[in-house]
Amino acid sequence: MLQMHDQAGPSAVGALGQPAGAGLIGDLQARRSVLPKGGAYAKVSDAVISASSGAAAAELRVAQLKANAQAKNWLPSIGPSVNLTNLGGLAASLLLEQSLFDNGRRKAERAFASADVEVAAVGLSTAMNQRVFDGLSYYVNAQRAHAQAAVAQAATGRLQDFNTIMGKRVAGGLSDGSEQQVLNQRMAEMQATVAVDLQTEASQMAQLTALTGQPMAGINGLDNLPDLGRSMTEPLAVVKARSEGARAIAQAQMQLAGMKFGLAATAGLDDGGVNPGVKLNGTGLLNPGAKDNITALQQTGDVVDRQTAEAAETANRRIVALQQQKANLASRRAQGDEVLRQTAANLDLFTQQYKVGRRTLLELVGQYDAYARLQRDQASLGYDMALIDLEIARDRGLLVDGARM
């Protein structure tokens, strides 16, 4: 879980570059959900979080335990030592080893373990935000299908009224059967549209129920989210790149330290008493290609900086693209509202002309069918915009309170 004491992150600078600071977990903890409290989104989010299996949280706990273990790596190690004697037998003893000079290897090991905790923490935050986004997506799509079904059901009822009128006209000889067949086909198409919308709503709610483990009936409506396009909250993809970069730097420091000579004091305890000694570690400098390996490792910091900058650029471009997509939808909705208003006016005109005999019933039905389908499509745009708001909030890690993870 994110409720823990921050581990000290890598602090080395120089050829390996400057790693991420130690406040990454604190930053994740301080994030607050932008979902309005008590709203429909918050209710769905609470249910999703309550049903979480916690796999990412388990990974974080494992990483924290490893970091706690590495925090004690400065202590001397004690273990058995078995040697082959000159008489062909085995001599066993206890060996105590304390590092005197290791070129910063143990410090790098602690930094690597700390960075590993941060990577796991970012993974938990990403997983929880994605999980809540999935649940909210099911909910929003179910609400969209419900709204569209309501429009299509109203249209079906109106077409049924027209069909009743047409039946009377056919019975009275004022219209032939072909006109009623056309009307029947339009009504059947609208009924099929209603069926698809209702099936979509049921499917999305079933998936939400499977995700939350409980029925989510009785919740309806959309919540307004704040504009996060210019938020200063760093996207989780960038935080992940920084934490992984810190871990890569620590790993490079470990490898560099292992390629240099180190010194350790040893003390063996056997039947003959205590046998003090000195141990020389590290043979990397004697290997062919050691110079190139060192040069490559020293470039890790530059690679990390570039990768982090690239991640930030990609994340920012994505948010800008989502904002532009939302702006296009808003413009499309405004234009559609105007077209819908004009279509409604034409429908009123067709109705008046039909009453005085200047329009046929089939022409009026065609105009109404076009109006109903435009109204149904127009109802969908607001839900597309709502999903974009949720995507931006997910990318910035603002769908879940950090303290709850």
Side-chain angles (χ1 to χ4, degrees):
M1 310 299 280
L2 288 185
Q3 295 177 338
M4 65 179 72
H5 296 294
D6 288 359
Q7 302 291 329
S11 58
V13 295
L16 291 176
Q18 178 64 47
L24 184 147
I25 292 180
D27 169 69
L28 293 177
Q29 285 181 310
R31 298 192 179 202
R32 294 293 176 264
S33 171
V34 295
L35 304 181
K37 295 185 182 301
Y41 287 174
K43 293 177 181 177
V44 173
S45 175
D46 290 343
V48 169
I49 294 173
S50 298
S52 174
S53 62
E59 293 177 1
L60 178 56
R61 286 193 292 270
V62 170
Q64 186 184 10
L65 290 173
K66 290 180 179 179
N68 291 340
Q70 286 295 342
K72 302 177 180 66
N73 69 351
W74 57 272
L75 294 171
S77 61
I78 302 176
S81 175
V82 181
N83 298 312
L84 182 65
T85 67
N86 55 1
L87 297 178
L90 294 176
S93 63
L94 284 177
L95 181 64
L96 174 67
E97 182 176 333
Q98 173 64 60
S99 176
L100 300 177
F101 178 70
D102 63 358
N103 298 291
R105 177 178 177 82
R106 296 196 179 191
K107 182 178 180 181
E109 288 175 350
R110 295 193 295 272
F112 179 88
S114 177
D116 205 34
V117 173
E118 293 182 341
V119 171
V122 178
L124 173 59
S125 181
T126 301
M128 292 304 297
N129 275 273
Q130 180 61 50
R131 183 178 176 86
V132 169
F133 174 79
D134 290 341
L136 289 172
S137 295
Y138 293 143
Y139 171 75
V140 171
N141 285 323
Q143 289 289 296
R144 180 214 310 270
H146 181 80
Q148 290 182 315
V151 173
Q153 284 175 328
T156 299
R158 185 67 175 132
L159 288 174
Q160 182 63 54
D161 293 339
F162 288 142
N163 193 43
T164 300
I165 296 174
M166 180 65 75
K168 294 179 179 179
R169 291 178 62 86
V170 171
L174 299 177
S175 299
D176 58 33
S178 62
E179 290 182 321
Q180 185 154 34
Q181 288 180 352
V182 172
L183 201 157
N184 287 338
Q185 181 180 356
R186 289 183 181 274
M187 190 170 65
E189 290 173 352
M190 191 62 71
Q191 288 173 336
T193 299
V194 172
V196 170
D197 288 337
L198 293 178
Q199 289 173 0
T200 300
E201 180 186 9
S203 174
Q204 294 296 311
M205 290 303 294
Q207 293 184 72
L208 178 58
T209 299
L211 185 64
T212 61
Q214 59 181 288
M216 300 301 296
I219 303 176
N220 56 73
L222 301 181
D223 293 333
N224 292 323
L225 300 185
D227 184 5
L228 299 175
R230 296 184 179 180
S231 171
M232 298 303 293
T233 304
E234 197 171 42
L236 288 178
V238 183
V239 181
K240 179 182 178 182
R242 288 198 298 111
S243 60
E244 290 180 340
R247 186 171 62 178
I249 289 175
Q251 185 175 31
Q253 290 173 326
M254 290 165 52
Q255 293 174 333
L256 274 174
M259 298 179 69
K260 300 176 182 179
F261 291 111
L263 193 63
T266 62
L269 178 62
D270 55 20
D271 293 340
V274 179
N275 302 310
V278 177
K279 182 179 179 182
L280 189 64
N281 299 317
T283 59
L285 292 175
L286 301 179
N287 292 331
K291 181 179 179 181
D292 290 337
N293 285 336
I294 291 176
T295 302
L297 290 172
Q298 288 176 335
Q299 297 301 313
T300 302
D302 180 62
V303 173
V304 166
D305 289 342
R306 293 175 184 272
Q307 288 175 336
T308 304
E310 183 177 344
E313 180 183 354
T314 300
N316 290 331
R317 282 207 316 266
R318 171 175 168 75
I319 290 176
V320 169
L322 287 172
Q323 285 183 292
Q324 185 59 50
Q325 185 178 349
K326 182 182 177 181
N328 292 340
L329 286 171
S331 176
R332 179 180 164 190
R333 184 168 67 172
Q335 294 173 356
D337 286 342
E338 177 60 24
V339 173
L340 192 62
R341 187 191 64 78
Q342 294 176 1
T343 305
N346 289 337
L347 180 60
D348 290 339
L349 179 60
F350 265 60
T351 302
Q352 294 298 325
Q353 292 176 339
Y354 165 72
K355 290 179 178 179
V356 297
R358 296 178 57 186
R359 295 284 183 180
T360 66
L361 180 60
L362 207 57
E363 288 177 319
L364 178 59
V365 168
Q367 184 70 12
Y368 179 79
D369 184 73
Y371 170 77
R373 293 190 178 279
L374 178 61
Q375 188 180 32
R376 179 180 174 276
D377 292 341
Q378 192 71 2
S380 176
L381 297 180
Y383 298 92
D384 289 330
M385 296 169 66
L387 287 174
I388 290 177
D389 286 337
L390 291 172
E391 280 192 73
I392 296 176
R394 176 202 60 190
D395 289 355
R396 291 199 181 277
L398 295 175
L399 288 178
V400 184
D401 284 340
R404 295 186 63 184
M405 290 186 286

